[in-house]
Amino acid sequence: MSARATTRPGGRSARVQQSVHQAVRDLEAEVGRDALTVPLIAARAGVTPSTIYRRWGDLRELLSDVAVERLRPDGAPADHGSLRADLEAWAAQFAEEMSSTAGHTYIRDALLGDPEQGNAVRCSDYAAEQLKAIGVRAAGRGEAVPGVEILLDVVVAPLMYRILFRPSDLSEAYSDHLVATALAQRPTPSEPKS
């Protein structure tokens, strides 16, 4: 099992992570995913294979880490003027990005990583952070906002199921329906409000 190093901004660990991640992306584009090996990636990144093995443990865990970074949102969700419009736009974009060929690959890689490393949880946290930002903005406008857990359960979870198992049934009308369903929910006493 690998012991993930804490990454300090600007520190050696951050530089190693950045160069190894870039090497994976470059080599994937040049030689294809199936040709990736730890020694090939290490040579391109200018590190030793033992550095990669020490940090990530194996190729699968490295690909999982790269995928999680690729799934990280670029910025705050767009403001469309209302909670419903913000959620509908976010859900449509999420579905489009995750259902793409690249999105499927990133999801698969993120889920294949060691559960102890928490890559799948980090992906879930990205969605939760985006939904929380939408909710905070809507609450600032005086709108009633369902909890983040409701949004994850009622919007994100069904979208992920469709993306992974029934992509032909995925549409913007479907994601809009999920948003409407979530907005009709009332928090249960045991659910934390966000």
Side-chain angles (χ1 to χ4, degrees):
M1 181 157 95
S2 67
R4 175 160 302 168
T6 303
T7 305
R8 291 186 328 244
R12 182 183 188 291
S13 183
R15 287 190 303 275
V16 166
Q17 179 179 7
Q18 181 180 0
S19 66
V20 170
H21 279 213
Q22 188 63 51
V24 168
R25 290 189 295 272
D26 292 347
L27 288 167
E28 206 169 24
E30 292 169 21
V31 300
R33 181 182 177 77
D34 292 339
L36 294 179
T37 64
V38 169
L40 183 64
I41 294 166
R44 174 62 66 93
V47 300
T48 64
S50 63
T51 298
I52 292 175
Y53 289 122
R54 224 180 4 261
R55 169 116 185 208
W56 287 280
D58 58 24
L59 181 61
R60 185 180 75 183
E61 193 61 37
L62 171 58
L63 293 176
S64 178
D65 192 50
V66 170
V68 169
E69 287 305 310
R70 286 179 164 178
L71 291 170
R72 179 191 304 271
D74 293 332
D79 186 347
H80 296 278
S82 72
L83 176 60
R84 179 179 296 273
D86 288 354
L87 287 173
E88 287 176 349
W90 182 87
Q93 180 180 353
F94 177 85
E96 181 182 328
E97 290 175 3
M98 295 300 112
S99 64
S100 70
T101 301
H104 272 254
T105 300
Y106 303 153
I107 291 168
R108 185 185 69 233
D109 284 348
L111 294 175
L112 285 177
D114 181 354
E116 297 297 318
Q117 295 295 344
N119 284 337
V121 171
R122 286 172 50 206
C123 290
S124 176
D125 288 347
Y126 295 157
E129 289 165 10
Q130 293 270 297
L131 294 169
K132 184 174 182 179
I134 290 170
V136 166
R137 188 170 54 220
R141 292 189 295 250
E143 296 179 79
V145 180
V148 170
E149 292 301 316
I150 286 176
L151 295 172
L152 288 171
D153 291 345
V154 179
V155 177
V156 178
L159 282 176
M160 285 302 293
Y161 179 84
R162 295 278 176 129
I163 288 164
L164 293 172
F165 302 113
R166 298 183 65 148
S168 64
D169 293 340
L170 190 61
S171 67
E172 194 167 326
Y174 177 70
S175 62
D176 289 351
H177 166 73
L178 295 175
V179 168
T181 302
L183 292 177
Q185 299 288 313
R186 296 290 175 243
T188 59
S190 62
E191 181 185 348
K193 295 180 182 179
S194 58

